[in-house]
Amino acid sequence: MKRRILLAAVAAVLVSVGCVSAAPKLKTLIIDGRNNHDWETTTPQLRLLLEETGRFAVDVATAPPKGEPLDGFKPDFSKYDVLVMNYAEFKLPVARWPRATETAFLDFVRNGGGVVIFHAADNAFPNWPEYNEIIGVGGWGGRTEKDGPMIRWRDGKMVLVDEPGKAGQHGPKAPFQIVTTNPDHPITKGLPQKWMHTADELYSTLRGPAKNVTLLAAAYADPAKPKGTGEYEPILFTIAYGKGRVFHTVLGHSATQGMDCVGFACTLQRGTEWAATGKVTLPVPADFPTADKTSSRN
Ligand code: ZN
């Protein structure tokens, strides 16, 4: 961590004296305010992880709390390169955004904007069909087989599985191994084939339209453990929606659990850059986790 701060300081000096040409920062908006997770600590952590790369300039739009009217919630999405969803109202009845805000959000994505779906953001808006296309698959909020198939990784291929049941579950937080299923994508290029994630929730049985999905990484939900499905569940994936690029990470329950993993930080940073630009310039750090060893920033 100290090394990171030192490197960032050196980079800042080099930029300030003109030794390094600073690319324009990617304008990033984190959306929060309604979440059954502690968004008041996860949003600053998201901001820190993005801004420490020097690649992003981050603003935050906070919706009024559940129960209060959303009429005035009208962020200007068009000013940004990428939106990071840390928003997860899913307990029924779920309030939708004002129509103008939803239309602006969909126009932003369709016209080529980037979106990052972070952890419980795939719980949000079970009753908004276009949002469910943007997330690919999601859980909770009354979602079942009526909402679409599950994504699984079987025999080296992504498959869509139609079976009855509820969408969304996880066992107690524990470390688990992640498999890079697509090593050729800009986000995952250079990652180890297998890597250990720090203690976190392993989401499983997510369901949705699952259209235009590219699976990047999956994890085996061991049936010997609580809620284990015996399947490789989707962990990192992208969705094409109109001209827009969506990066979906199911990882990162809290600032200290899941978000502390060097692998989470790296894939969030690279995934956000890719969603914003379609390219990745941010490197894979030397302390990235390995097949049998976690790597925590704490
Ligand atoms: Zn969680």
Side-chain angles (χ1 to χ4, degrees):
M1 189 62 205
K2 277 183 185 155
R3 197 166 147 260
R4 275 173 214 283
I5 292 167
L6 181 65
L7 286 175
V10 169
V13 169
L14 289 175
V15 168
S16 69
V17 298
C19 297
V20 175
S21 66
K25 293 194 178 182
L26 300 169
K27 295 194 189 82
T28 307
L29 182 69
I30 299 174
I31 299 166
D32 66 12
R34 295 192 181 194
N35 201 320
N36 64 323
H37 291 65
D38 186 4
W39 59 269
E40 285 169 297
T41 56
T42 56
T43 286
Q45 187 65 13
L46 288 169
R47 178 199 283 272
L48 181 147
L49 293 176
L50 294 173
E51 289 192 337
E52 74 176 14
T53 64
R55 192 81 175 95
F56 306 94
V58 178
D59 290 337
V60 179
T62 300
K66 188 170 170 80
E68 289 185 18
L70 282 166
D71 306 347
F73 186 61
K74 294 178 178 170
D76 185 359
F77 303 124
S78 67
K79 288 197 320 200
Y80 295 94
D81 298 303
V82 58
L83 312 176
V84 178
M85 290 293 287
N86 188 16
Y87 186 102
E89 181 183 353
F90 69 94
K91 290 205 174 118
L92 303 170
V94 172
R96 297 265 298 260
W97 286 345
R99 182 170 289 225
T101 304
E102 290 190 350
T103 302
F105 180 82
L106 296 177
D107 285 347
F108 170 85
V109 190
R110 286 178 181 138
N111 293 332
V115 179
V116 174
I117 301 297
F118 161 61
H119 194 59
D122 64 23
N123 299 191
F125 301 123
N127 50 351
W128 183 3
E130 291 88 350
Y131 185 78
N132 283 284
E133 288 199 18
I134 286 170
I135 66 175
V137 287
W140 295 273
R143 288 177 173 91
T144 65
E145 69 276 0
K146 74 182 176 347
D147 295 280
M150 295 175 279
I151 297 172
R152 259 74 189 268
W153 178 256
R154 288 180 181 168
D155 303 321
K157 280 196 293 249
M158 186 186 102
V159 292
L160 300 181
V161 178
D162 276 310
E163 280 168 19
K166 281 187 178 174
Q169 60 170 10
H170 60 75
K173 288 176 260 312
F176 54 88
Q177 189 183 59
I178 295 174
V179 178
T180 304
T181 57
N182 184 342
D184 301 321
H185 193 277
I187 298 171
T188 40
K189 209 173 182 78
L191 260 55
Q193 208 244 321
K194 295 179 179 176
W195 48 283
M196 282 300 294
H197 180 49
T198 57
D200 199 349
E201 294 164 345
L202 203 179
Y203 276 15
S204 63
T205 67
L206 301 180
R207 298 168 182 274
K211 287 186 205 163
N212 306 316
V213 170
T214 302
L215 185 64
L216 305 184
Y220 185 62
D222 186 347
K225 295 180 181 166
K227 310 281 172 108
T229 56
E231 298 273 358
Y232 282 88
E233 300 284 347
I235 299 294
L236 306 176
F237 43 104
T238 65
I239 302 98
Y241 185 83
K243 292 180 190 159
R245 288 171 299 273
V246 183
F247 170 65
H248 188 154
T249 175
V250 305
L251 304 173
H253 173 74
S254 75
T256 52
Q257 290 180 299
M259 292 183 86
D260 66 307
C261 175
V262 171
F264 169 82
C266 170
T267 51
L268 176 86
Q269 292 160 341
R270 289 166 62 110
T272 306
E273 187 185 25
W274 177 83
T277 67
K279 296 190 181 104
V280 173
T281 64
L282 296 169
V284 178
D287 59 349
F288 198 90
T290 62
D292 52 8
K293 206 158 169 287
T294 59
S295 178
S296 175
R297 296 163 51 94
N298 294 339

